Amino acid sequence: MRYFTAGESHGPQLTAIIEGLPAQMELTAEMINGELSRRQGGHGRGRRMQIEKDQVVISSGVRHGKTLGSPVTLTVVNDDWKHWTSIMGVEPLADDVKPEDVKRQITRPRPGHADLVGGMKYGHRDLRNVLERSSARETTMRVAIGAVAKQFLRELGIETVAHVTEIGGFTTNPDTYAEKGTEELRNIIENDPVYCADPEASKLMVQAIDDAKGRGDTVGGVVEVVIEGCPPGIGSYVQFDRKMDGKLAGAMMSINAFKGVEIGLGFEMAKMPGSKVHDEIAWSEEQGYFRKSNRLGGLEGGMTTGMPIVVRGVMKPIPTLYKPLESVDIDTKEPFVATIERSDPCAVPAASVVAEHVIATEMAKAIMEEFRSDTMNGLKKDIEEYRRYVKGF
């Protein structure tokens, strides 16, 4: 499976094309729209979420609710486009209009964004050409693609969930949700304002967001993605670029504003002896092979172990501040206060939704590489046979 996304933040629409999905997989717009709505939620979201009510249109690759095996095209219209038609129009400017005369031209790069380096790389003197594509608005289509991937995984008995474990320095107590499965965890977080599974920590996180907003500042945090039901052996130890750890870490780090990733105990392992890190192996007739603990987060040697996969990502505070930082105008080279685009005091809850979907996409891709995937029924039979094989190994 491979995919591409296209579109600008204030352009007419966002588009994704997915190639390689098996035929006969159930897929409807409603399956995707629910996930897009979750991405726009969470305490701390800004005004853009009130403007855009993201709804997907499936325009190819699906007939009567099932995939055809041909490329699937997904489109989300930007409702705000009507206010940007002259600024973001595709047609050439009129002869009497100079590029510098276009409204909302940006020559002052914002610290923490792609503005300055992107302008250097692609030769843009109007930095709007950079921020329109580097915007986190692009993650709309990453979630749409991930919703398709989640449906694929669900048909194979694999479930995913993501939740917030830290915002503004306030962290969850894992004991409050450690024994909960993905479905129970999902029911809790979908009714929480910051998608957090610990009610007491959630209250502190909400307050941290409100305090930051009052100061004109922003806060970051940590999100955790859990995948249950994945069979062992997805990925490989034989080449560096086939290791599942690397693929999942790369997917997490591809999200806007993410600056760190860990699997299982992650960085805590540096403080611990090996006897407290590695997971002992056991076997039972009912389960087959399993681990007595899951400190390594369901991955060993670049491969899934059959235990729940646990991946966490660190999101930095959003760099667009309502109390902006200083910058330098690229035309005058004079110091200036950075321009302000729409922003959120905290987008960590929404980022947890994005994280779940990019991780689900990477897992779906890996499974399609491992098994025959022209048809959904054929794939299910192959995986069922493989599960029987590894259980009796």
Side-chain angles (χ1 to χ4, degrees):
M1 186 182 82
R2 57 181 177 166
Y3 66 89
F4 290 95
T5 71
E8 282 71 49
S9 181
H10 295 97
Q13 64 184 40
L14 303 168
T15 304
I17 297 178
I18 313 171
E19 199 273 333
L21 288 171
Q24 301 302 316
M25 184 185 87
E26 292 185 7
L27 185 63
T28 65
E30 286 72 23
M31 294 174 180
I32 300 171
N33 288 336
E35 303 298 338
L36 292 177
S37 177
R38 289 180 59 223
R39 175 194 165 275
Q40 293 189 289
H43 189 73
R45 296 294 264 155
R47 194 161 58 90
R48 183 72 187 269
M49 299 306 106
Q50 300 167 16
I51 296 172
E52 306 289 358
K53 300 299 180 185
D54 293 336
Q55 299 281 291
V56 75
V57 174
I58 303 174
S59 56
S60 75
V62 176
R63 186 183 184 207
H64 304 319
K66 290 192 175 182
T67 56
L68 300 173
S70 52
V72 172
T73 303
L74 309 175
T75 302
V76 173
V77 172
N78 284 330
D79 291 335
D80 205 23
W81 161 247
K82 58 183 175 286
H83 298 125
W84 291 78
T85 54
S86 62
I87 299 166
M88 293 296 297
V90 174
E91 295 302 318
L93 294 173
D95 293 339
D96 59 343
V97 178
K98 298 178 181 179
E100 57 268 26
D101 295 332
V102 175
K103 291 181 180 179
R104 301 195 186 184
Q105 183 181 28
I106 294 176
T107 60
R108 306 169 200 153
R110 299 162 299 165
H113 283 272
D115 302 354
L116 180 58
V117 180
M120 291 174 176
K121 180 176 177 65
Y122 291 103
H124 294 308
R125 301 304 301 178
D126 181 355
L127 301 181
R128 178 162 296 284
N129 292 334
V130 178
L131 68 89
E132 284 290 334
R133 179 59 183 170
S134 64
S135 165
R137 180 82 181 132
E138 186 267 348
T139 62
T140 303
M141 301 319 294
R142 305 282 294 283
V143 170
I145 294 163
V148 176
K150 282 177 61 177
Q151 172 61 16
F152 168 82
L153 295 173
R154 192 174 296 116
E155 290 202 21
L156 301 177
I158 302 169
E159 294 289 341
T160 68
V161 68
H163 59 113
V164 173
T165 62
E166 181 175 348
I167 288 178
F170 295 103
T171 61
T172 58
N173 177 2
D175 292 340
T176 60
Y177 51 83
E179 302 301 318
K180 292 178 170 57
T182 53
E183 185 175 355
E184 187 178 2
L185 201 57
R186 188 181 301 111
N187 289 335
I188 294 171
I189 64 172
E190 288 186 356
N191 291 292
D192 184 84
V194 288
Y195 302 164
C196 176
D198 180 344
E200 293 306 313
S202 173
K203 295 175 185 176
L204 296 172
M205 292 175 185
V206 168
Q207 188 60 54
I209 293 170
D210 291 343
D211 290 346
K213 183 177 181 179
R215 300 191 307 271
D217 214 333
T218 59
V219 287
V222 178
V223 305
E224 179 176 278
V225 181
V226 181
I227 305 176
E228 285 188 348
C230 187
I234 305 301
S236 180
Y237 64 89
V238 302
Q239 282 291 353
F240 67 94
D241 59 348
R242 294 179 62 189
K243 294 188 176 187
M244 206 65 229
D245 313 53
K247 291 181 178 182
L248 296 179
M252 188 72 84
M253 290 296 289
S254 74
I255 305 171
N256 303 52
F258 271 56
K259 286 296 184 181
V261 62
E262 63 180 6
I263 295 171
L265 292 180
F267 291 100
E268 288 299 312
M269 296 180 194
K271 308 170 187 176
M272 304 168 68
S275 59
K276 300 295 184 182
V277 168
H278 299 285
D279 302 309
E280 292 183 315
I281 300 172
W283 184 89
S284 72
E285 190 170 345
E286 180 183 356
Q287 291 181 261
Y289 294 96
F290 64 94
R291 304 303 189 276
K292 294 183 178 180
S293 57
N294 194 30
R295 299 159 183 157
L296 296 183
L299 294 161
E300 289 178 353
M303 300 168 289
T304 58
T305 65
M307 297 292 286
I309 297 166
V310 181
V311 189
R312 282 180 293 278
V314 178
M315 184 186 192
K316 68 179 181 180
I318 291 175
T320 301
L321 307 177
Y322 284 101
K323 186 178 179 181
L325 303 173
E326 286 191 355
S327 183
V328 176
D329 191 298
I330 63 171
D331 286 344
T332 67
K333 305 301 187 289
E334 293 295 322
F336 216 97
V337 175
T339 58
I340 299 174
E341 295 289 308
R342 294 190 189 99
S343 184
D344 311 334
C346 180
V348 175
S352 72
V353 178
V354 178
E356 178 185 1
H357 287 78
V358 301
I359 293 296
T361 299
E362 204 60 42
M363 185 56 65
K365 287 173 61 178
I367 290 174
M368 288 183 207
E369 290 172 4
E370 296 277 352
F371 299 94
R372 177 169 58 102
S373 58
D374 291 329
T375 68
M376 202 66 202
N377 286 338
L379 177 59
K380 287 179 180 179
K381 289 178 182 178
D382 283 359
I383 287 191
E384 287 171 5
E385 178 60 33
Y386 178 72
R387 289 185 191 275
R388 285 193 291 269
Y389 158 72
V390 295
K391 185 177 180 179
F393 180 77

